[in-house]
Amino acid sequence: MVYKESTAQEATAEVNRNSILIGDQINLTLKLAAPASTTIVWPEIRDTIIREIEVVDRTQIDTITDEDKGFKTYIQTLTITSFDSGYFAIPPFVFLYQPINADEYEALETGALLLEVQTIEVDTSKDIIDIKPPIHLPVSFQEVWPWLLVGLTGLFLVLGIIYFIKKRKKSEPVIQLRKKPVLPPHQIALDALESLKRKKLWQIGKIKSYHTELADIVRRYIENRFDIPAIEMVTYEILVAMQRTVATNEAKEKLKEMLELADLVKFAKEKPLPDDEEKSMTQAINFINDTIHLIEETKIAEVKEHV
C-alpha cells in the first residue's frame, strides 16, 4: 500500500484469504480513495493477472462519497482462481490520477500480495481404486409421463385415422349428429296454429297475413298427411284431390270454407265478418283432428282403386 500525505491519495489491494486449494476461488478487492475532484484512471485488468492466476469474474466499480471530507472511495472486487500449486506473487496494481490544477497524471500503486495454492495430498501407500460407477436411481413418474403422453397421443391419432378411413369407405359422416325426433304432421300443424293464435294478427289489423298463414299451415298438413302437393295447388285443385281421400264430407266442407275465405281475403281483398277469423281457426283445427287417423285408410283406398 502506498500513501501520499500531500494529496492524501490511498490505493489498496487485499484478498479475503492468502491460501486456497487448487481450483478454489477467492475475492481480490481493489480500493482507491481520492479527493472528489481528482481525475483517476482505473488499471486495466485482463483475464489473467499473471499466468498462474485467472480472473473468473469482476464487479462494476462502485463509488462511496464522503461529503464531509470531500473524498470518494472507488471499489472493485475480482474473483480469482488458480490451477497451479505453489506460491504466486500478485503484482501491484497501478492507478493513475490527476491532481487539481495539474497537467500531468501521477501513478499510485497498491502493495504486492502473496497467494499460496495448495494441491490435494495423495496417499501413495494405499492401492489405487476404480472410479465408482454411476448410481442407478429408480425411474420416477416425472421422467415417464412425457413419454407416456406422447405414446397416448400417437395411439389416439392412429385410431382416429383408422376411424376416419372406415367412415369414408362406408360414405358415412365422421361425426354422427343426433337426429331430432320428427313430429307427426298433425302435431306440427296444431303447434303452428297455436303459435299463430299467439301472434294475434287479425286483432291488430293484419287480416290478410292471418288468413294467408292459416291457409299455408293447412296446406302443409295436407301435403305431409295425404302426399298431395297442396302448397303448389290452388284451392280448387286441393279440393278435387281431397275427393280421392276417405276424409269425411264434413271435414272436406270445413276445409273448403276455410280455404275459400282465405282466397277472398288474399286476392279479392274481402273484409271478413268479426267472427270469421275465429271460425276459420276452428275449422282448421277441426279438419286436422277429423283427419288424424285417416292416413292408413287413404292408402288402403288407393290400393283398391288400382286393383
Side-chain angles (χ1 to χ4, degrees):
M1 180 181 67
V2 178
Y3 179 81
K4 290 196 173 184
E5 294 182 354
S6 59
T7 55
Q9 316 288 344
E10 183 181 15
T12 62
E14 58 182 13
V15 290
N16 57 338
R17 281 186 293 147
N18 292 320
S19 178
I20 64 171
L21 188 65
I22 189 169
D24 200 359
Q25 297 179 1
I26 59 172
N27 291 331
L28 170 60
T29 303
L30 302 178
K31 292 183 181 180
L32 173 65
S37 58
T38 301
T39 302
I40 66 168
V41 178
W42 202 261
E44 182 179 359
I45 303 172
R46 302 181 182 276
D47 292 338
T48 57
I49 298 175
I50 59 175
R51 184 174 61 84
E52 296 83 4
I53 300 177
E54 300 179 10
V55 177
V56 179
D57 196 8
R58 69 194 70 199
T59 65
Q60 297 293 329
I61 301 173
D62 294 328
T63 304
I64 301 174
T65 302
D66 188 342
E67 296 182 355
D68 294 336
K69 297 181 180 180
F71 258 64
K72 282 187 178 181
T73 301
Y74 304 89
I75 303 173
Q76 184 180 36
T77 299
L78 309 177
T79 303
I80 62 174
T81 188
S82 178
F83 296 96
D84 295 309
S85 60
Y87 290 89
F88 305 105
I90 300 175
F93 293 89
V94 180
F95 295 85
L96 298 179
Y97 69 96
Q98 186 179 29
I100 302 173
N101 301 325
D103 296 330
E104 297 181 356
Y105 282 89
E106 297 183 17
L108 188 64
E109 295 182 356
T110 66
L113 300 171
L114 184 63
L115 179 63
E116 178 189 10
V117 181
Q118 299 177 354
T119 187
I120 300 175
E121 295 184 2
V122 179
D123 189 353
T124 57
S125 64
K126 295 182 179 180
D127 294 334
I128 299 175
I129 60 176
D130 292 334
I131 299 175
K132 289 185 178 180
I135 299 175
H136 296 285
L137 297 176
V139 179
S140 64
F141 179 75
Q142 291 181 345
E143 296 174 317
V144 173
W145 81 263
W147 298 101
L148 183 62
L149 181 61
V150 172
L152 290 176
T153 303
L155 177 62
F156 284 123
L157 182 61
V158 171
L159 293 177
I161 294 173
I162 295 174
Y163 178 79
F164 177 78
I165 293 174
K166 287 184 177 180
K167 289 295 183 179
R168 288 293 299 272
K169 287 183 179 180
K170 295 181 180 180
S171 299
E172 296 178 354
V174 177
I175 301 176
Q176 291 285 355
L177 298 177
R178 185 178 179 182
K179 294 182 180 180
K180 295 182 178 180
V182 179
L183 296 175
H186 70 273
Q187 188 62 56
I188 296 174
L190 292 175
D191 290 345
L193 291 174
E194 186 62 30
S195 176
L196 178 60
K197 281 184 181 180
R198 291 194 295 268
K199 291 181 181 179
K200 297 183 178 182
L201 294 179
W202 66 269
Q203 290 92 330
I204 59 175
K206 295 183 178 181
I207 298 176
K208 180 179 178 180
S209 298
Y210 171 79
H211 285 277
T212 299
E213 188 170 344
L214 178 64
D216 288 342
I217 293 171
V218 176
R219 287 170 182 268
R220 282 193 295 270
Y221 167 75
I222 293 172
E223 186 164 303
N224 295 331
R225 172 59 76 186
F226 299 102
D227 292 328
I228 296 173
I231 296 177
E232 301 174 0
M233 292 179 172
V234 298
T235 299
Y236 172 76
E237 293 173 332
I238 295 173
L239 296 176
V240 171
M242 286 297 298
Q243 293 300 322
R244 296 193 294 270
T245 68
V246 293
T248 63
N249 292 332
E250 183 181 358
K252 295 174 183 176
E253 187 62 27
K254 294 174 183 176
L255 175 65
K256 178 176 180 296
E257 291 182 12
M258 188 272 301
L259 291 178
E260 287 180 347
L261 179 59
D263 287 343
L264 290 174
V265 174
K266 184 176 180 180
F267 300 110
K269 298 182 180 180
E270 179 78 14
K271 292 185 178 181
L273 296 175
D275 296 336
D276 287 340
E277 281 76 19
E278 292 185 1
K279 181 180 179 182
S280 291
M281 176 64 71
T282 301
Q283 288 173 332
I285 294 173
N286 290 338
F287 169 75
I288 293 171
N289 288 328
D290 291 344
T291 56
I292 287 177
H293 304 291
L294 294 179
I295 183 65
E296 296 298 331
E297 299 176 15
T298 301
K299 290 181 179 179
I300 294 172
E302 289 177 352
V303 171
K304 290 181 179 180
E305 289 180 2
H306 291 291
V307 172

